[in-house]
Amino acid sequence: MSSMLSSALRTLPVSSAWAAGAFTRSLSCSSQFQAAAQPKTKKTLGKTGVKNVVVVEGVRIPFLQSGTSYADLMPHDLARAALQGLLTRTSVPRDVVDYIVYGTVIQEVKTSNVAREAALGAGFSDKTPAHTVTMACISSNQAMTTGVGMIAAGQCDVVVAGGVELMSDVPIRHSRKMRKTMLTLNRAKTLGQKLSLISKIRPDYFAPELPAVAEFSTSETMGHSADRLAAAFGVSRLEQDEYALRSHSLAKKAQEEGLLQDVVPFKVPGKDTVTKDNGIRPSSLEQMAKLKPAFIKPYGTVTAANSSFLTDGASAMLIMSEEKALAMGYKPKAYLRDFVYVSQDPKDQLLLGPTYATPKVLEKAGLTLGDIDVFEFHEAFAGQILANLKAMDSDWFAQNYMGRKSKVGAPPLDKFNTWGGSLSLGHPFGATGCRLVITAAHRLKKEGGQYGLVAACAAGGQ
C-alpha cells in the first residue's frame, strides 16, 4: 500500500502497497500563482534543497470491462494509446522526456518491459530509457514515485509515469511437468531421445495453470481476504451494497457532468472510437440483494455487485520539476509532496494498507486528517473500503495493532471519492494509481481546497 501527499491547484495523493501514502498540495500556494485563491494554511510542505515536483497533466483511455472493445489488443497497445493521448493533450515534445516508467501486474511475456514497447510505439526515441515496475494494485503509484525520486535527485527533469492492465488476455501456462518436458525436448539431439521424452507425457500434463488473483504466500484470493476483513470489522452486506451503489451513482453523475476530464478517446483498430468508461451501472439495492456471495459461500457478503470488476485500461502522467514546467510554459496541476509505502501481514491485514499508511504520511507532512480537502481511496471491494474506515476510526485498533495512542480518524464521506471510484469506474490493476492522483488534482481545482490524500490497498508481497 502506498500513500502520497500533494498540494497543487487542489491536489494531494496518498496510496498504499500493502500500504503507501502520498500528498499533493494546491499550486495556489506557489509564488508563481499569487492570483489564485489563498490557501487555508501557509504550510507548503517543501523540502530544503529538494526540487519541487509537479503534476503537469494526467490522462487515461476509457476503462472498459474485460472482454469488451479492448479484447483483441495487447497491453502495449493500450499503454501506447495513453501515451499518445498525453502527448496530444500537453503538446510536450517527445525529446524533452528524460525517462518513462510504467506499472503493470499481470505481465504479457512477449512485452515484459511494456513501458519500452509502448514508448517505441508512441513515437518516442529509442534513446529514451523506459522500465516497468510491479507492485500489485499500486503499480502505477510506484511508477510515479520512482519518477518523483529521479527528479528530486536531479537525474531527470521530465518523466512520464503510467500503468496498464489487460485482463481480457492473461497468460495461461502449461503445467510445470509439461514445461519441463518441452524444454528438455528442445535440447534433445536424436530422434530416440525425443521419442523417449514424448512417451513420458501423461494426460495430466495437459492440464493448464489458470491465473488467479491470489496471494502466492497464502493461496487466498483478494475476494476471500475482503470477505474475512468485512466480517472482522462487522461490515454488513447491506452496508457494502449501499456503498457500491453510492460509487456507481456518483460516477454516473460525474460522467454526465463532464468531470472525468482525464479520459481521452481511443480509436480501437477495426472498431469504433471508445470515449467513456463502460462499467458504470447504477442498480438498486433490491437487485443487488439478489446476488449470491462470490467467494465465501454460502455465508459471505462480498458479491459481484459490491466488488470492482475485471477491467482493461491504461493511464499516463506527465511530471516535471517545477522549474522545468514553468520554463516550458505549463501551469501545473499539483505538487507531489510526499509518499509512504507500508507492508502488513499478507493474510489477515492484506487490504488494510490505507489504515496504516494514512497516519504515517500525515505525520511526515505535519498535517492532520482535518487539513485534507480531498480523499481518493482505491475501492477494491466495498467491504475493504468500509473496513478501513472503521479501522481508522478505532482507538482500540490503533492501540492494539498499530502501536499508536489514538486513532487517526475516518475521512468524511462528503470529501471521499465523490466522483466515483474503482467499484464503478473500473480497476485495471496497474493503471488505477494515476487515475486516483489526477482525480484528486481535478477535484481540488473544482471543489476548492489545498491538500488531497490518495490511498490504495495492494495485494501481493511485492
Side-chain angles (χ1 to χ4, degrees):
M1 305 284 299
S2 74
S3 23
M4 292 160 53
L5 187 53
S6 68
S7 65
L9 291 172
R10 330 260 199 238
T11 309
L12 166 54
V14 169
S15 99
S16 81
W18 297 26
F23 285 107
T24 64
R25 184 178 64 80
S26 169
L27 279 176
S28 58
C29 299
S30 173
S31 60
Q32 285 80 9
F33 302 105
Q34 290 299 316
Q38 291 300 308
K40 63 184 179 184
T41 173
K42 294 181 179 180
K43 188 174 182 62
T44 65
L45 308 185
K47 297 179 180 178
T48 303
V50 178
K51 289 185 176 182
N52 283 331
V53 182
V54 299
V55 174
V56 173
E57 185 60 274
V59 303
R60 63 185 176 91
I61 60 173
F63 288 176
L64 303 187
Q65 290 183 321
S66 297
T68 56
S69 294
Y70 300 156
D72 296 329
L73 302 179
M74 292 180 67
H76 72 284
D77 294 319
L78 305 189
R80 178 183 68 238
L83 288 173
Q84 290 172 332
L86 184 67
L87 291 170
T88 298
R89 179 165 291 187
T90 62
S91 298
V92 64
R94 289 175 174 83
D95 59 2
V96 169
V97 177
D98 299 311
Y99 210 98
I100 298 171
V101 192
Y102 253 73
T104 195
V105 178
I106 302 179
Q107 295 182 340
E108 163 59 55
V109 294
K110 291 183 177 180
T111 58
S112 57
N113 187 3
V114 70
R116 174 68 168 171
E117 303 305 328
L120 292 174
F124 285 89
S125 167
D126 56 11
K127 302 299 188 293
T128 304
H131 79 268
T132 301
V133 297
T134 186
M135 204 171 190
C137 302
I138 58 164
S139 293
S140 61
N141 295 79
Q142 183 58 254
M144 281 184 283
T145 56
T146 297
V148 168
M150 297 173 83
I151 294 172
Q155 296 296 310
C156 301
D157 278 320
V158 182
V159 174
V160 171
V164 63
E165 214 69 48
L166 183 68
M167 298 302 293
S168 289
D169 182 27
V170 296
I172 298 176
R173 305 198 301 178
H174 283 289
S175 67
R176 185 157 194 171
K177 291 179 181 178
M178 178 61 88
R179 298 200 308 271
K180 184 177 181 181
T181 300
M182 293 173 70
L183 290 170
T184 305
L185 184 63
N186 191 50
R187 296 192 297 269
K189 300 184 181 302
T190 67
L191 178 61
Q193 290 174 333
K194 293 179 179 180
L195 291 175
S196 176
L197 287 167
I198 292 173
S199 69
K200 295 178 182 179
I201 296 176
R202 297 293 180 265
D204 65 310
Y205 283 29
F206 293 96
E209 291 183 358
L210 299 176
V213 185
E215 284 297 290
F216 179 80
S217 58
T218 65
S219 298
E220 188 174 69
T221 68
M222 288 178 64
H224 280 88
S225 297
D227 230 330
R228 287 193 301 100
L229 187 65
F233 283 89
V235 181
S236 70
R237 165 74 178 270
L238 177 60
E239 287 178 303
Q240 294 174 61
D241 287 350
E242 287 176 338
Y243 184 86
L245 180 58
R246 172 188 185 268
S247 181
H248 280 272
S249 299
L250 290 174
K252 183 68 172 177
K253 183 174 183 290
Q255 188 179 68
E256 291 175 345
E257 293 180 357
L259 299 178
L260 306 182
Q261 305 164 43
D262 56 331
V263 179
V264 293
F266 176 27
K267 175 63 175 71
V268 181
K271 297 182 181 180
D272 294 335
T273 298
V274 180
T275 60
K276 61 182 181 179
D277 309 316
N278 71 358
I280 304 173
R281 297 177 180 177
S283 181
S284 67
L285 292 177
E286 292 74 22
Q287 289 296 320
M288 296 168 76
K290 295 178 181 179
L291 296 183
K292 296 181 179 180
F295 300 100
I296 297 180
K297 303 173 182 179
Y299 302 114
T301 57
V302 175
T303 71
N306 56 42
S307 306
S308 59
F309 46 88
L310 296 180
T311 314
D312 302 331
S315 57
M317 180 170 289
L318 180 61
I319 59 177
M320 295 184 179
S321 65
E322 182 182 28
E323 182 181 13
K324 183 70 171 182
L326 296 176
M328 293 186 67
Y330 290 112
K331 183 177 181 179
K333 292 178 179 288
Y335 290 110
L336 292 173
R337 285 306 192 190
D338 220 329
F339 60 91
V340 169
Y341 290 90
V342 303
S343 288
Q344 280 83 245
D345 168 16
K347 184 174 177 63
D348 292 327
Q349 296 192 337
L350 175 68
L351 301 175
L352 280 175
T355 298
Y356 284 85
T358 298
K360 286 192 173 186
V361 77
L362 288 171
E363 288 167 358
K364 282 187 70 177
L367 299 175
T368 67
L369 201 72
D371 292 316
I372 308 303
D373 304 293
V374 162
F375 294 88
E376 283 292 326
F377 279 32
H378 164 46
E379 302 170 348
F381 304 89
Q384 162 255 327
I385 280 285
L386 295 174
N388 271 275
L389 296 184
K390 289 191 175 186
M392 292 171 70
D393 206 32
S394 168
D395 283 320
W396 180 88
F397 187 85
Q399 294 162 5
N400 287 275
Y401 283 90
M402 301 176 67
R404 302 178 59 84
K405 294 182 179 179
S406 61
K407 63 187 179 183
V408 65
L413 282 184
D414 62 349
K415 297 181 179 180
F416 191 88
N417 290 15
T418 58
W419 293 359
S422 302
L423 290 172
S424 49
L425 299 172
H427 174 38
F429 297 158
T432 292
C434 286
R435 180 192 67 77
L436 293 169
V437 171
I438 198 62
T439 298
H442 287 160
R443 282 185 56 201
L444 281 169
K445 183 177 181 180
K446 173 73 174 177
E447 300 170 359
Q450 183 179 17
Y451 297 111
L453 179 64
V454 177
C457 59
Q462 295 89 342

